[in-house]
Amino acid sequence: TVMNVSISTVAADLGTTISGMQAAITFYALTMAALMLTGGKLGDIWGRKKAFVIGSIIYGFGSLLTAVSQNLPSLMFGWSLVEGLGAILVIPAIAALAAVNYKGKDRVVAFSILGAVTGLAAALGPIIGGYVTTYLSWRYVFAAETVIMIMVLIVSGKIMDEKLTKKTTLDIPSVLLSATGMGMLVFGVLQSKTWGWVVPKTIPVINGQQVAPFNISLTAWFILAGIVVIKLFMSRQKKLEAAAKDALLKVSMLSIKALRAGLGVFMSQYFIIAALFFVVPVYLQTILGLDALQTGVKLVPLSIGLIIFSAIGSKQSAKRSPRQIVRVGQAFMATGALFIIGSIEPELRTFAFKVGMFIIGAGFGLLASQLGNVNMSAVSKEDTAEVGGLQGTFQNLGSSFGTALVGSIFMMALTFNFNNTVQANPNVPQATKTQIASATTDGVGIVSADQATQILQSKGVDNDVTITIVGDYTDAQIKALKEGMFFVFAMALLALLLSSNLPSTIKSE
């Protein structure tokens, strides 16, 4: 999440654009989503600890490459590809090793801590990234990641692992189907804000030809193709499992209601957080004009709520069922979203914002204290690495969908609200209205009030008219952000349906 607040600085440093940086972020999400199941299976083949160590080395090396990158391609190689490949080995192994190293109540606490650390890292990333980017350089963040991975490797000897009891193989066709299907699905969703969902917003040009078959956006085609390939992948897994061969994904696990519910809530949790981390930085930096560090500091209440309530959730596990604790957490996240909606104004309503961020963090903490153990307890020890890979996959799906869907809703709402307001404003000349309508056919860009003023003045728009239009634009941004956050609120409520099959008790070993 360092990139959430450092994206402009990194782009300027590497001589690229915000669009180029968004491509790097997209590629990172693609690497993670496409290969997470494969990373979990490699843990079964090599051993979970070995996969963890190899993944840590790869991740640390990728961080170093990122720290010294001089252009966008080298950044994408180090961060988007190499770090992503390290992560797909580390993340499933962590979940499996936690299940091996802890039993009974200790396992509940262990997964609570892991969940809290994951959420805390997401919240602290903007603060650390903002501070270092503002006062030093973003490169130090990635150099520090390399140092941290070296420290992790030094103490990794303390981690216990179980000996492999059977020889496992990797089915290459399954890897290709999984990577292709997930890659197409995630790429299509992430590109929706550029290409549009069904009606083409921007038509990509390949070899000099515009590509939009039947005048339908490539987003829809990528998503459809991804679903078809994933269907083929699932069919192959069923056949392999029926023949008692090594499947990349044991499809029979998905018949377990508790696991399905746990993964569904897990995805919704990261959908909400990713969407929040899109809306809040846009509001704080574009409308309020805060810098990277100030933006990060505004997220501190979320971190505090997360830490406190992950501990509370862990302790409550002895008295309350996972279903009860998770549902309280989901209600907290929905309530927090309402407070954030109420705080988004031309001048930040600070108290409501802090309360909202704290409550969302509290909800995240309660969910984090339960979901890892729910998912791992639903399967046998042999399947823990696979479930770890599934969790990583669902996490990246949730994050990708959250950013893409809410981002798309925000952009559509911004364009609609801005055009409607300008067209209805009697103080804007008709010629200027026509010019604006034509210029915003493919959408309205996200810029600050000062940048909007400069754009209009460069077009020769009268100063008084410029002030009027910029005011309309700011109002449209506020409305669009509120509408985006309302969608987050609605998704938080709908997520309550996903938790109905969570267990009322957790088995302890």
Side-chain angles (χ1 to χ4, degrees):
T1 55
V2 168
M3 286 294 184
N4 285 34
V5 295
S6 305
I7 186 169
S8 299
T9 305
V10 178
D13 242 14
L14 298 180
T16 186
T17 61
I18 297 297
S19 296
M21 290 302 302
Q22 288 174 333
I25 294 170
T26 300
F27 189 25
Y28 183 71
L30 279 173
T31 302
M32 298 270 280
L35 296 171
M36 193 66 71
L37 289 177
T38 304
K41 182 58 68 175
L42 288 173
D44 290 337
I45 296 171
W46 298 339
R48 284 72 181 267
K49 183 175 177 179
K50 187 175 181 180
F52 175 81
V53 170
I54 293 172
S56 297
I57 292 170
I58 294 172
Y59 191 89
F61 180 62
S63 299
L64 184 60
L65 290 175
T66 305
V68 299
S69 58
Q70 298 300 308
N71 49 43
L72 181 61
S74 60
L75 176 83
M76 292 182 73
F77 179 74
W79 184 56
S80 306
L81 181 61
V82 179
E83 284 196 51
L85 290 175
I88 61 111
L89 291 171
V90 170
I91 290 173
I94 287 173
L97 289 168
V100 168
N101 280 261
Y102 298 95
K103 303 289 184 279
K105 291 182 179 179
D106 286 343
R107 181 196 272 190
V108 178
V109 174
F111 278 111
S112 174
I113 292 171
L114 282 173
V117 168
T118 302
L120 185 61
L124 287 180
I127 301 172
I128 296 169
Y131 180 85
V132 176
T133 299
T134 302
Y135 293 106
L136 296 169
S137 167
W138 59 271
R139 298 180 186 276
Y140 286 105
V141 178
F142 292 96
E145 281 187 355
T146 302
V147 175
I148 290 169
M149 297 317 294
I150 291 171
M151 293 169 62
V152 167
L153 289 168
I154 290 171
V155 300
S156 63
K158 295 181 179 294
I159 301 172
M160 304 299 292
D161 195 8
E162 293 181 332
K163 290 184 179 180
L164 297 174
T165 56
K166 64 175 183 177
K167 187 176 180 180
T168 305
T169 58
L170 186 65
D171 183 60
I172 299 302
S174 294
V175 171
L176 294 175
L177 286 171
S178 171
T180 302
M182 293 299 297
M184 284 181 164
L185 181 62
V186 173
F187 184 70
V189 170
L190 289 171
Q191 286 297 106
S192 63
K193 61 182 178 294
T194 303
W195 293 342
W197 286 97
V198 178
V199 178
K201 182 178 174 183
T202 301
I203 301 177
V205 178
I206 301 175
N207 291 329
Q209 298 292 322
Q210 288 188 328
V211 182
F214 302 103
N215 202 34
I216 295 175
S217 169
L218 277 185
T219 292
W221 291 113
F222 266 98
I223 292 174
L224 180 62
I227 292 171
V228 170
V229 175
I230 289 171
K231 176 67 176 174
L232 293 173
F233 165 74
M234 296 295 284
S235 297
R236 181 171 180 82
Q237 303 319 293
K238 289 177 182 177
K239 290 178 182 178
L240 289 172
E241 191 174 351
K245 295 181 179 179
D246 288 322
L248 186 61
L249 172 64
K250 192 182 290 185
V251 180
S252 59
M253 290 194 311
L254 298 178
S255 65
I256 303 170
K257 288 184 178 181
L259 179 61
R260 285 205 313 270
L263 291 172
V265 176
F266 201 80
M267 183 168 72
S268 70
Q269 171 188 11
Y270 281 93
F271 178 100
I272 293 166
I273 290 297
L276 182 75
F277 277 18
F278 170 82
V279 171
V280 170
V282 167
Y283 170 60
L284 296 177
Q285 294 187 1
T286 304
I287 296 177
L288 300 186
L290 303 187
D291 62 24
L293 176 58
Q294 292 168 323
T295 299
V297 169
K298 291 292 184 184
L299 299 178
V300 168
L302 186 148
S303 303
I304 294 172
L306 193 154
I307 295 170
I308 293 173
F309 278 82
S310 63
I312 290 174
S314 179
K315 289 184 178 180
Q316 286 295 311
S317 296
K319 304 174 185 177
R320 312 280 182 186
S321 72
R323 186 190 305 154
Q324 289 174 318
I325 296 171
V326 165
R327 288 195 148 182
V328 171
Q330 290 175 311
F332 275 17
M333 295 186 87
T335 303
L338 282 180
F339 274 92
I340 298 297
I341 292 170
S343 71
I344 296 176
E345 297 292 345
E347 294 292 330
L348 175 66
R349 291 180 177 174
T350 305
F351 179 75
F353 184 82
K354 287 179 178 178
V355 171
M357 294 299 286
F358 179 83
I359 294 175
I360 288 176
F364 192 112
L366 290 175
L367 267 62
S369 72
Q370 305 298 311
L371 294 180
N373 195 51
V374 165
N375 293 334
M376 292 300 159
S377 297
V379 299
S380 63
K381 283 183 180 179
E382 292 75 26
D383 295 326
T384 50
E386 203 163 317
V387 172
L390 276 172
Q391 283 193 160
T393 300
F394 274 70
Q395 177 180 335
N396 279 281
L397 283 173
S399 297
S400 300
F401 291 171
T403 301
L405 285 172
V406 175
S408 182
I409 288 168
F410 169 73
M411 295 302 295
M412 287 189 293
L414 175 59
T415 302
F416 178 80
N417 292 333
F418 178 57
N419 271 311
N420 274 10
T421 305
V422 168
Q423 298 305 319
N425 194 327
N427 296 319
V428 178
Q430 185 59 47
T432 305
K433 290 179 180 180
T434 303
Q435 188 179 5
I436 288 174
S438 175
T440 58
T441 301
D442 294 329
V444 177
I446 305 173
V447 295
S448 67
D450 289 342
Q451 290 172 319
T453 299
Q454 291 171 8
I455 291 169
L456 289 168
Q457 289 177 341
S458 70
K459 301 294 183 182
V461 178
D462 178 77
N463 189 54
D464 289 340
V465 175
T466 293
I467 294 172
T468 300
I469 294 173
V470 169
D472 289 344
Y473 177 69
T474 302
D475 290 342
Q477 282 185 316
I478 294 292
K479 289 179 182 177
L481 287 167
K482 284 178 176 286
E483 288 167 20
M485 275 305 301
F486 183 81
F487 184 77
V488 175
F489 166 71
M491 290 303 295
L493 289 182
L494 286 173
L496 283 164
L497 299 175
L498 299 173
S499 57
S500 59
N501 286 322
L502 288 175
S504 56
T505 58
I506 279 288
K507 64 182 181 181
S508 60
E509 300 176 12

